[in-house]
Amino acid sequence: MFDSLGNQISRNWKLFLVCWVIFFALIKFVAPSWKAVARDGEFDHLPKEMDSIQGEKRFAEAFPEDLLASSVVIVVRRESGPLSEPDEDEEIGEGSCDLSFIENELKSGLEDIRDEIQDLVVEEQLELKQQELGEEAFAAQEPQLRDRLYEQLEQGPIPESKITQITSIRSPTDDVIGEMLISEDQQAALVIVELSKKFLEYGNRDTIDRIERLIGLPENDSSGGILFNQGVIPPGLDLRLSGTATVGRDMLEARDDSASATETWTIALVILLLVLIYRAPLLALIPLITVGVANEVSLSIASLLSQFNINNNDILFGFRTFVEMNVYMTVILYGAGVDYCLFLIARYKEELDRGADIDTAVSRAVGKVGSALTASATTTAFGIGMMVLAAFGKFRNAGIGIALSLIVVLLASLTLTPTLLRLFGRLAFWPHVRSERIAATAGWISGSTLMSKLIELNPLQDGWEKVSTAILNKPGKLWTVSVLLMLPFAFVGALFWNDLSYGLLTELPTSTESVVGAKAIQDHFPAGTAGPLTVLLENDESSPESKRIDFTTPDAKDLVEDLTMRLREKGGQLQVADVRSLSHPLGKHDKPNWDDLPVGQRLARGAAYVAETEKYYITQADGHKGNATRLDVIFEEDPFSKNSIGQLDGVESVIEAFLEEKDVPLNRYFIGSTANIRDLKRTTDQDRIVIDVAVLSVVMLILWVLLRRFSISLYLILTVFFSYFVTIGFTYVVFWYLETGSEFAGLDWKVPIFLFTFLIAVGEDYNIYLMTRINEEQKKRGPIEGIRYALLRTGGIISSCGIIMAGTFSSLVLGGSLKGMQQLGFALTFGVLLDTFVVRPILVPAYLTMLYRGDFGRWSKYLGAALETPPQRQPLIQTAGSLISGNEAERVAGSGELSTERNVKTTENFDPSV
C-alpha cells in the first residue's frame, strides 16, 4: 500500500501539491472562525443532568426576572478610615460624602451604561426583525417594534440577545439588601451589577470594559476613568473591580493571550530545533510547512464540525470546540507532526546516501516508513481518543479534536512532506549539497566548520553506545538505581494525585484586576460575598396537594425561619458567614429603621419593603407563585476555592436533615459558582477513572497485538504508568516550592487527566518503535545482542523526536499566563523527557536484558522470555565505535555504504526503520 503511495507521489507530485493547495484554500474559505463556534463557558460542558445545571433551569423558571447568571462587583473603600456619610439633616444622595458619590455619580454612571446597552440590544433585535420581515414591512412596523422592545427591557433582559445586558444595579440604598453592602468596619461599600450572561462568556467583555472605563483602574489607565476625569471621586477613595463576571473576563483574556503566545513559542521552538537538527534552512522548512498546513486544516475541520453540531446534531458524539482547545490541538500536532516528518526525512536521506536519485528516494522513503508512522499515529490517536468516553464535554471534545489533528498531520506527513521534498529536490540540502545524486560520503554540513567536527565526534551516538554497554554489563544495578531515584516522586504523586485546585482566582496571576478586587472584598467582607450560594426550595410535584407548601403563608415563613436559624447555629462548623432568607432578608443586619419618619411614610416604606422582600425570596412566576423560595448562603471562603466544596456538602447535609425532621416534601437545588465547581469535581473525578482504564486497556491491547507477548506488554504499560506518578509528584513538588510564599492550592484539575492520556499514548508510541526494532534484531543477533543493537540504532532518532515533542510542550510554560497551563506544560515536558531518556533507554532494555539472561530464574518464561532460537551469531566488526555483525558488514560493503567509518556512523544516526 505505502509502496504504491510512494510511487504515485514520486510520479505525480505536482498533482498532489495542487490538490493540497486547493483543499487548503477551500477548507479555510468555508470554515467559520474559531471564536464564532467555540463554547466559552466552563460549566456549560457539564452533563445536563447534574444538580447545579438542573438547579439553574428550575431557578430560571421560578425567578425569571433574576437570571442569576453573573455579576460585576465594584468595591469602594477608604483605607484611612470609615466612609463619610451624609450629615444628620441629609439623606444618601445629598451632599458630597462618599456614600453620596456612590449614589449620585457611580450608580448614575452605571445606569447610563445600562441604557446604552439597551439601545444596542434594541438595534440588534430590530436588525434581525428587518431581515425577517423585509424592507417595506419592517419600515411600516418599526416604531411599534421599537416601543415594544423598550417595554420588554423594562420587565427584564431579552434572553435571545447576544449582548450582555445589565439586569439590576444594587447599591447601599437598595431597599432589600442595601444594608448588607456596607462593611462592618464601615470602610468599604459594594455596588453589585448583575448581568444576563454566565461569567465565562465573551459577550461580557464589552459591558465590563464600559464599567472599567467609567471607574478607571490605575494599572490599566494612568489618565483615570470618566469619573476621575470629571473630578467627582472624593480624595482618598479607592475603586476596585471584581465579581464572577470580571473573573470570567480575565480568564478569557488570559486564555486568549496564552493561546497566541503558546502558538508563537511552539513555532519558534520547532524552527530552532529543526535548524539545529538539519542545519539546512529549506530542509527545516519542509516539516514546518507540513505541520503548519495540517494545523490550519485540523482547526478548520473542527470548526466546521462544531458549527454543524450547534443545532443539536450528533456528529462525532456531538463534537463542539471550546475556547482553549486549539492550544492543545496545536501543541500535540506540532510535536507529533514534526516527529513524523523527522522519520520520513531521515529515511529519505538514507536512501540518497545509498545512491538513489530523488524520485526513487522519495518513493522508497514513503514505502518504508508509511506503516510505522501509521501505527504510531493510530496508537496515539486511539489512546487520546478514549477521552471520548468522558462525561465532561471539554475532555470528550478535546479527545476527538486531538485525535482528528493527529490523523490530519499523518496524512500530511505521508503526502505533503514527500511532495515538498520532490519539489525542493537537491535544493533542500542547500547550502551543503550541490548535486542531485548525493554521495554516500556527503555530510549534512561543510567539513570545515566547528559544528562538523562535533558531528564527526558524534557525542550523542557515543552516549548511546556507553548506555547500551552499561545495560549489557550491569542491567540490574542500572534498573534499581533508576527506580530508587524516581520512587520518592512517585510516592508524592500517588499521595497528592487527587489534591487538585478547582479555583479560578488561584489560576490567574496575582496582579490581575479581578484578583486584586477580590482581595479588596476579602479585606472588608466575607470572601463568599462576591459569589453567594443560592439554595432553591421547591415543592415536589409528585407530593400530595395537602403536603405542598405555600411560602406566602405564615407557617411557611416560620419553617424558613427555623431553617435559617439552624444554618446560623452551625455557621462556625460550616464556615458560613451569613444566611439571608425570607425571614431574614438582610441576614444578620438589622431591618431598616423608619421610626423618625411620619406615620404615613413609615407605613408606605414598610409595605414596599415587605413587597420587595417577597418578590425577591418567593417565586411570583405564573403557575409557580408561592411554590418556591430561595436562601442565599455567604461562605467565609472564596466561592471558587476547593474548600468551599466541603462547606457546600455540610450545608446540604444540614438542609436534608432538617427537611427529613420536619417531614416536608421539598426538592432542594444549589445554584452558584460553588455548586458548579462541586459538580465539576464529581464529573471529572469519575471521568479520570473511566478514561484512565480505557486508555490503559486500549494501549495494552495494541501492544499485545503488535508484540504478541502479554507479559512484556504489561511491563511496558507499568513503566509508563510509573513515570506518570513520578511526573505528577515532581510537578507537585516544583510548584509547591515555587509558591511557598502563599498557600499552594494544588495542581490544576485538568493536569492529571491530560497528562495521563498524553503520556501513556506518546510513551507507548516510543516503546513500540523500540520493541519493534528489538524483535527484529533479536531474530538476527540473539536475545541480548539484539537488545543492545536495537538501542544503538534507535537511540538518536527517538531521542530527537522526544526532544522535539518536549520542546513543543514547553511552549505551554513559556507562553501560558494561566497557572494551570503552565503546570500542564511543565508536567508534559518533564514526562516526555523522563520517558525519552530514562524509561525507554534504561528501564525497558535493562529489564529485557535481565529477563533474557535468565536473572528471574524459572519465572523468566512466564514473564515473556520465550523466543525463537536465534540464528548462528556472526563475528562482530568494530566500526567507528559501533558493533555490526559479519553478515551486516557484508551487506553494507556490498551496497557501498561502508566506504568510511564516518559514513557508517552517519547512516546509523538517521535510520528510521524502527
Side-chain angles (χ1 to χ4, degrees), residues 101 104-110 112 116 213-216 223-234:
F101 158 77
N104 291 339
E105 309 297 341
L106 179 56
K107 186 177 179 182
S108 176
L110 293 171
D112 290 342
E116 292 172 4
R213 288 194 295 270
L214 173 69
I215 67 175
S223 64
I226 295 173
L227 296 178
F228 177 84
N229 293 330
Q230 291 176 349
V232 296
I233 301 179

Side-chain angles (χ1 to χ4, degrees), residues 314-333:
D314 200 25
I315 298 296
L316 278 181
F317 303 93
F319 172 74
R320 287 287 306 276
T321 57
F322 56 89
V323 175
E324 70 271 28
M325 190 172 84
N326 60 330
V327 177
Y328 303 127
M329 290 177 64
T330 298
V331 170
I332 293 289
L333 183 145

Side-chain angles (χ1 to χ4, degrees), residues 447-760:
S448 61
T449 64
L450 174 63
M451 182 62 74
S452 69
K453 300 301 181 184
L454 293 176
I455 298 301
E456 188 171 342
L457 291 174
N458 206 352
L460 185 62
Q461 186 65 21
D462 290 343
W464 287 119
E465 290 172 0
K466 292 176 181 178
V467 169
S468 63
T469 302
I471 288 174
L472 188 66
N473 295 330
K474 299 177 181 179
K477 183 177 180 180
L478 273 177
W479 189 93
T480 303
V481 170
S482 300
V483 170
L484 288 178
L485 288 175
M486 294 187 289
L487 200 57
F489 295 110
F491 178 76
V492 173
L495 192 63
F496 293 103
W497 78 287
N498 203 34
D499 184 24
L500 305 176
S501 169
Y502 293 85
L504 297 180
L505 289 176
T506 55
E507 194 174 357
L508 289 167
T510 54
S511 59
T512 305
E513 178 53 37
S514 58
V515 179
V516 175
K519 179 65 170 58
I521 293 176
Q522 294 169 15
D523 287 342
H524 302 281
F525 296 88
T529 302
L533 170 72
T534 296
V535 183
L536 177 67
L537 298 178
E538 185 180 52
N539 282 302
D540 188 342
E541 295 177 357
S542 63
S543 62
E545 190 71 30
S546 59
K547 284 211 164 190
R548 296 192 183 185
I549 296 176
D550 182 355
F551 285 99
T552 61
T553 63
D555 289 343
K557 293 179 180 179
D558 291 341
L559 180 72
V560 172
E561 182 172 11
D562 290 344
L563 176 57
T564 303
M565 298 310 297
R566 179 75 60 87
L567 290 170
R568 281 191 177 184
E569 289 168 5
K570 297 183 177 292
Q573 174 186 343
L574 301 174
Q575 292 292 296
V576 169
D578 201 2
V579 181
R580 302 162 187 168
S581 66
L582 180 62
S583 62
H584 294 76
L586 299 181
K588 58 187 178 182
H589 293 79
D590 295 331
K591 291 184 178 181
N593 187 348
W594 298 301
D595 290 344
D596 295 337
L597 296 176
V599 175
Q601 292 185 22
R602 187 165 66 245
L603 292 175
R605 285 283 185 93
Y609 175 78
V610 171
E612 284 295 321
T613 299
E614 291 192 352
K615 180 181 177 182
Y616 183 82
Y617 286 103
I618 302 177
T619 175
Q620 308 293 320
D622 294 339
H624 296 274
K625 188 171 183 179
N627 190 54
T629 188
R630 63 183 286 179
L631 293 84
D632 292 332
V633 180
I634 313 298
F635 287 123
E636 293 283 0
E637 294 211 22
D638 169 21
F640 293 107
S641 71
K642 62 183 177 182
N643 291 336
S644 65
I645 297 175
Q647 296 163 9
L648 171 55
D649 290 339
V651 169
E652 183 178 31
S653 298
V654 170
I655 292 176
E656 287 181 346
F658 176 84
L659 295 178
E660 184 177 351
E661 174 189 324
K662 299 293 184 179
D663 190 24
V664 179
L666 292 175
N667 292 326
R668 87 289 175 277
Y669 299 97
F670 299 97
I671 306 104
S673 303
T674 304
N676 287 139
I677 289 173
R678 183 177 70 167
D679 282 348
L680 177 65
K681 183 179 187 309
R682 288 175 173 176
T683 304
T684 54
D685 283 352
Q686 182 65 30
D687 281 347
R688 275 194 292 162
I689 297 173
V690 172
I691 293 174
D692 289 358
V693 172
V695 171
L696 287 174
S697 301
V698 167
V699 175
M700 176 66 189
L701 180 62
I702 293 174
L703 285 173
W704 193 9
V705 169
L706 291 176
L707 304 180
R708 306 295 176 88
R709 300 181 194 177
F710 179 82
S711 300
I712 291 179
S713 300
L714 181 61
Y715 175 76
L716 295 178
I717 287 288
L718 291 176
T719 57
V720 182
F721 196 56
F722 177 68
S723 72
Y724 163 74
F725 280 107
V726 173
T727 303
I728 281 284
F730 187 76
T731 304
Y732 189 94
V733 169
V734 168
F735 282 90
W736 171 82
Y737 176 78
L738 293 176
E739 297 186 34
T740 49
S742 59
E743 184 180 354
F744 178 56
L747 296 178
D748 184 72
W749 58 276
K750 297 182 289 294
V751 170
I753 195 162
F754 279 121
L755 176 65
F756 182 86
T757 307
F758 295 169
L759 273 191
I760 295 295

Side-chain angles (χ1 to χ4, degrees), residues 291-312:
V291 295
V293 169
N295 187 53
E296 290 299 319
V297 169
S298 298
L299 296 178
S300 297
I301 293 175
S303 296
L304 277 172
L305 289 172
S306 183
Q307 183 185 50
F308 188 75
N309 285 332
I310 284 178
N311 297 323
N312 297 319

